[in-house]
Amino acid sequence: MVLTDKRQKAAELLLNFYEGRVTNYQMGDAWPCDAADPALSKVFWANWGLYSDLREEYVEPRLRKNYTASKAIHRCLVFLASGLEYEWVGFGLSRGLVPRILELLDEHRREINSAGDQSVWPFYHKEDYKREWKLRN
């Protein structure tokens, strides 16, 4: 299920954090999690690594200059605006130790996720990302 209003709020919070208008705590407190739309929690937790959860802080200027981080945030923003269902099983990312272990232990998850293109996460297919990107740019 796609919860358009909640995704719009999540995209606004993520953009405001990335542009230095809100802190990580303000973003986290206002984030609209809802189990009916798994994209909301997956995008939130994927971006959790962008800041320290031990203290309240604004985005670090060096992060905004980091191409990889900027591209990942852009994909999240485009996905949240897309209206597409979240197709990954779990996080769909094999980066990091915990997601990789879970993927290795769960053959079903590994088979389903192998059809997705991790380079365009949270999109599942590169074509979807390209189409949605063109619509918004």
Side-chain angles (χ1 to χ4, degrees):
M1 174 181 289
V2 175
L3 301 175
T4 306
D5 292 343
K6 290 186 177 186
R7 282 191 181 190
Q8 184 178 0
K9 179 173 177 138
E12 185 178 306
L13 286 165
L14 181 57
L15 183 60
N16 283 337
F17 173 71
Y18 181 70
E19 291 184 347
R21 292 190 289 258
V22 299
T23 67
N24 58 327
Y25 284 9
Q26 291 167 325
M27 180 179 67
D29 290 345
W31 194 269
C33 284
D34 192 318
D37 188 347
L40 294 167
S41 64
K42 302 308 184 202
V43 168
F44 177 79
W45 287 110
N47 288 299
W48 177 58
L50 298 175
Y51 54 85
S52 169
D53 61 346
L54 300 176
R55 64 187 175 280
E56 186 169 20
E57 62 187 17
Y58 288 94
V59 69
E60 293 185 20
R62 66 180 171 86
L63 178 67
R64 291 173 45 200
K65 294 177 183 176
N66 180 299
Y67 178 79
T68 304
S70 296
K71 190 77 171 159
I73 288 170
H74 180 264
R75 281 194 317 272
C76 289
L77 293 170
V78 172
F79 184 80
L80 289 169
S82 74
L84 293 171
E85 295 282 347
Y86 184 79
E87 296 182 61
W88 293 97
V89 175
F91 281 93
L93 298 172
S94 61
R95 293 183 196 112
L97 184 59
V98 173
R100 184 70 181 142
I101 289 171
L102 291 174
E103 187 176 282
L104 290 171
L105 293 175
D106 187 340
E107 185 176 331
H108 175 69
R109 178 182 297 181
R110 192 170 59 244
E111 288 173 9
I112 291 173
N113 285 344
S114 68
D117 187 338
Q118 289 186 5
S119 73
V120 293
W121 185 94
F123 290 90
Y124 197 72
H125 304 284
K126 189 172 276 190
E127 298 79 30
D128 290 340
Y129 171 59
K130 288 179 179 180
R131 182 186 65 250
E132 294 297 327
W133 184 85
K134 285 180 183 178
L135 286 172
R136 284 154 185 75
N137 291 298

